Amino acid sequence: MAIKRRLSGGIIHRNKSNGPHFSIVVLVLFSFLVFSILFVGRGLLRSASNDQIDFSTSSSKQDLNWRERLALQHLKPLFSREVMGVIKAYTDDLGPLSLDSFRKNNLSSSWNFVGQEISAGKNTTSAQSKEVAANVKRETSRGKQEDNSHEDHSNFFESPAKLERRKLREKRREKRAADLVKQDDDVIVKLETAAIERSKSVDSAVLGKYSIWRRENENENSDSTVRLMRDQVIMARVYISLARMKNKLDLVHELQNRLKESQRALGEATADSDLHHSAPEKIKAMGQVLSKGREQLYDCKLVTGQLRAMLQSADEQVRSLKKQSTFLSQLAAKTIPNGIHCLSMRLTIEYYLLPPEKRKFPRSENLENPNLYHYALFSDNVLAASVVVSSTIANAKEPGKHVFHLVTDKLNFGAMNMWFLLNPPGKATIHVENVDEFKWLNSSYCPVLRQLESAAMKEYYFKSAHPTTLSAGSSNLKYRNPKYLSMLNHLRFYLPQVYPKLDKILFLDDDIVVQKDLTGLWSVDLHGKVNGAVETCGESFHRFDKYLNFSNPHISSNFDPNACGWAYGMNIFDLKVWKEKDITGIYHKWQNMNEDRVLWKLGTLPPGLMTFYGLTHPLDKSWHVLGLGYSPTVDRSEIENAAVVHYNGNMKPWLELAMTKYRPYWTKYVKSDHPYIRSCKLRIVER
């Protein structure tokens, strides 16, 4: 048998044919059947699907018209009750059956429309098919009018139970839709909350006008006009060069005028909001001149050559500016700001105007008491030293048990004393000494002093033939730092000699800020080591091979190039073990071997790594966080949780080149309301 599907146009079957006459007969019967189904409507289908209705009793339905009765007679032999149930279910949910879904373009190519095929040998069959189709069409249009009159009547056959089920289905749909809307709202609220939390963790204190939070950067193309003007300036320079080559002086003059106007309008702008209001007019005028130049001068090869030459020139300028920037940053980091110099001078004058009996600090009996907490601070910067002391005292649990040993040079001795006489550190004890008064620290005992007196070292530091240009002198400026000439920097290797009666001492640099009580460091078990320090080998450039010359056999045979480095700035030293291990003698040994700077360059960290090799106990990293003087990526949570933060690097917090987002941790301990600080006009950011 053919696999049949019904369509108003004829019989459809898969690649089989039962002959033209049979197709016509089936077409007629099916057309009549479709006609009956369409006009009976949903009410009749519901009646037919009811298990309690017997098709033989259709004569008792007096309210049905003659078409319905005729359809009932033909439906009984054609459809079973199950089929009628399926039809009813579809009509309940989707409405009356439609034949639009069975159109030809919805069927696969394997189905043939037998009743609509036209051939030369089957004219009679085709004519009959058309006539039947026309009759069906007429009856269908007439039946639609009658079906509208019975639509309301069909609702009469729905039982109360079915109506209730329909209402329940509608309620379930509404509830499901409400739940989905609520889920969407919950997701939106969660996303907004997460975005707010992330925004709180973003540091808004970014450097200068390159901040991503500036108003002009709210739009993606906030600098599109600036870039257009810069491109016009570049092309104008190219065409000026080409015009000169071709002796078009009028065009050269016109391009130069427009170039000057565009450069004035552009200025130092980095975003469209910074441009002068005349910028659009300048862009238009420049565009007209560039179009004129393109018509007269454009040659792809010449333009490419000019652009390449300009690119090479720009690269050379960038390299030169980088060298100059390095030189100037090194220079700025090593010089003393005018405000700090002014402060030192004012304090020095006040100190030497005091009578001798008023120059002494109280509680001098605590200076050699080993049961107290002793700090060593060597500095020639009055303001920096004051921040170290004030931040330590502010966070100490028992300030009266803290003793500060300050050592400075002769130039700043009076200023350092006067500052702490005017601003005493509460109940804590403080003592200031002059390094030049340590008579035992001389060239016969100290290798560094002896080397500084040698002709080779003097030539290295003070040779008049040093390069005078910024770019040429930048490479060696780092190693000509004045701190390498100061014994204040090397005094850390002589702690037992400076404080012979102490057992433990905490060494602090002057570019640190204390944020927590540090007394816990005195109870740390160093396991027989001399130095307690925070290791810095999380990064590759903080290992030994980055500080020492491992091509030298003295270095390669005694040290591991991958050994972990550690940081100066906050170190707890066991002076008893120091004396037992003769740490100062080890330092002298290596310093004598480096007279020609063949083991390391200059500084105190390389000899410190060598001297305390195998004698350093690693402390927890939260004690000491570094990098605030050179790295803009130090995590804020690490800074806030650290006991000590260290501004190691060139960007010291008292300099103008300091990173602004780290500066408040330091300035909060500056006495910015002090009359001397105000009178010296120190550019310190307010708290």
Side-chain angles (χ1 to χ4, degrees), residues 292-475:
K292 182 178 178 181
R294 180 182 177 85
E295 293 175 357
Q296 300 182 20
L297 304 171
Y298 187 79
D299 183 293
C300 183
K301 185 178 295 186
L302 291 176
V303 170
T304 302
Q306 288 295 326
L307 290 173
R308 185 178 291 110
M310 292 174 63
L311 180 61
Q312 292 175 350
S313 176
D315 287 341
E316 292 177 359
Q317 291 180 4
V318 168
R319 285 194 292 270
S320 176
L321 290 174
K322 283 183 177 179
K323 291 180 179 180
Q324 294 180 18
S325 175
T326 302
F327 177 87
L328 294 174
S329 63
Q330 294 282 352
L331 184 63
K334 311 317 173 192
T335 54
I336 299 176
N338 288 335
I340 295 179
H341 181 70
C342 167
L343 176 65
S344 181
M345 294 297 101
R346 290 286 302 272
L347 292 170
T348 300
I349 293 172
E350 293 293 332
Y351 177 75
Y352 287 108
L353 290 176
L354 287 176
E357 62 273 9
K358 292 186 178 181
R359 299 178 186 177
K360 297 180 180 180
F361 292 100
R363 295 181 289 276
S364 59
E365 67 277 3
N366 294 334
L367 296 177
E368 296 181 348
N369 186 349
N371 297 320
L372 301 179
Y373 305 111
H374 294 265
Y375 299 84
L377 175 61
F378 308 146
S379 174
D380 58 359
N381 188 325
V382 176
L383 191 63
S386 70
V387 170
V388 175
V389 174
S390 61
S391 64
T392 305
I393 296 301
N395 293 283
K397 295 179 180 178
E398 298 178 289
K401 293 185 178 181
H402 295 257
V403 182
F404 293 89
H405 302 267
L406 272 69
V407 180
T408 186
D409 55 14
K410 181 167 44 178
L411 181 63
N412 294 280
F413 177 73
M416 197 75 73
N417 275 280
M418 192 64 199
W419 175 267
F420 290 105
L421 287 172
L422 294 174
N423 305 279
K427 296 180 180 180
T429 303
I430 195 165
H431 181 59
V432 180
E433 295 181 90
N434 181 3
V435 68
D436 296 318
E437 294 179 357
F438 294 163
K439 301 303 180 182
W440 53 268
L441 197 62
N442 49 55
S443 58
S444 61
Y445 175 69
C446 179
V448 171
L449 288 176
R450 184 173 62 254
Q451 291 169 6
L452 290 175
E453 293 176 357
S454 66
M457 191 68 73
K458 289 180 180 178
E459 182 181 8
Y460 179 77
Y461 277 107
F462 308 110
K463 184 179 178 181
S464 59
H466 282 325
T468 56
T469 62
L470 293 178
S471 59
S474 61
S475 59

Side-chain angles (χ1 to χ4, degrees), residues 168-185:
L168 290 175
R169 285 196 299 270
E170 291 177 355
K171 288 182 179 179
R172 285 196 297 270
R173 293 192 190 99
E174 292 175 358
K175 185 176 182 301
R176 178 60 178 166
D179 292 341
L180 292 174
V181 172
K182 184 179 180 182
Q183 290 178 4
D184 291 342
D185 293 340

Side-chain angles (χ1 to χ4, degrees), residues 620-649:
D620 187 271
K621 293 184 181 297
S622 62
W623 281 110
H624 188 191
V625 171
L626 299 99
L628 278 68
Y630 70 90
S631 174
T633 60
V634 182
D635 189 79
R636 175 181 286 184
S637 62
E638 292 184 2
I639 296 175
E640 294 176 350
N641 293 326
V644 171
V645 292
H646 195 171
Y647 292 83
N648 57 314

Side-chain angles (χ1 to χ4, degrees), residues 83-301:
V83 174
M84 296 300 293
V86 172
I87 296 174
K88 173 186 175 298
Y90 274 84
T91 55
D92 283 343
D93 293 337
L94 305 176
L97 291 175
S98 173
L99 297 180
D100 292 339
S101 60
F102 295 95
R103 295 188 184 279
K104 181 179 179 180
N105 56 3
N106 290 334
L107 299 174
S108 64
S109 59
S110 63
W111 293 86
N112 297 325
F113 287 76
V114 178
Q116 292 181 347
E117 292 180 356
I118 301 176
S119 61
K122 299 180 180 180
N123 293 332
T124 304
T125 303
S126 175
Q128 293 174 353
S129 300
K130 290 180 179 179
E131 184 178 357
V132 172
N135 292 334
V136 171
K137 184 176 182 180
R138 286 194 298 272
E139 292 296 332
T140 301
S141 62
R142 188 168 52 194
K144 285 181 180 179
Q145 298 176 359
E146 297 180 5
D147 187 62
N148 292 334
S149 63
H150 292 283
E151 184 175 357
D152 296 335
H153 180 70
S154 63
N155 293 332
F156 175 78
F157 295 97
E158 291 188 355
S159 64
K162 294 178 181 177
L163 291 173
E164 188 65 25
R165 285 195 297 270
R166 177 177 293 180
K167 291 179 181 179
L168 290 175
R169 285 196 299 270
E170 291 177 355
K171 288 182 179 179
R172 285 196 297 270
R173 293 192 190 99
E174 292 175 358
K175 185 176 182 301
R176 178 60 178 166
D179 292 341
L180 292 174
V181 172
K182 184 179 180 182
Q183 290 178 4
D184 291 342
D185 293 340
D186 292 342
V187 171
I188 292 173
V189 170
K190 289 180 180 179
L191 291 175
E192 291 177 350
T193 304
I196 292 173
E197 292 300 324
R198 285 196 300 271
S199 66
K200 291 180 180 178
S201 64
V202 176
D203 187 5
S204 59
V206 291
L207 290 175
K209 65 190 305 180
Y210 296 97
S211 169
I212 61 173
W213 306 109
R214 281 172 59 85
R215 186 179 302 278
E216 65 267 19
N217 290 314
E218 291 178 359
N219 299 323
E220 292 183 2
N221 299 320
S222 60
D223 62 343
S224 57
T225 307
V226 172
R227 285 184 290 165
L228 174 60
M229 294 188 70
R230 289 174 178 170
D231 291 343
Q232 285 185 335
V233 168
I234 293 173
M235 291 308 301
R237 290 172 177 168
V238 171
Y239 284 139
I240 288 174
S241 178
L242 296 178
R244 285 174 177 166
M245 291 172 58
K246 298 185 178 182
N247 201 27
K248 294 183 179 293
L249 301 182
D250 293 339
L251 184 58
V252 170
H253 182 69
E254 189 175 0
L255 284 168
Q256 287 177 339
N257 290 337
R258 297 303 182 192
L259 178 62
K260 291 178 181 178
E261 292 176 358
S262 295
Q263 288 176 332
R264 282 195 295 267
L266 184 60
E268 300 294 330
T270 59
D272 295 350
S273 58
D274 297 334
L275 289 172
H276 192 266
H277 61 82
S278 63
E281 298 177 2
K282 307 302 181 185
I283 292 174
K284 183 177 180 181
M286 176 64 86
Q288 293 174 352
V289 177
L290 290 177
S291 298
K292 182 178 178 181
R294 180 182 177 85
E295 293 175 357
Q296 300 182 20
L297 304 171
Y298 187 79
D299 183 293
C300 183
K301 185 178 295 186

Side-chain angles (χ1 to χ4, degrees), residues 514-534:
V514 178
Q515 300 185 131
K516 293 183 180 180
D517 181 66
L518 300 180
T519 56
L521 288 170
W522 274 263
S523 60
V524 173
D525 185 3
L526 298 181
H527 300 283
K529 306 294 180 63
V530 181
N531 176 24
V534 171

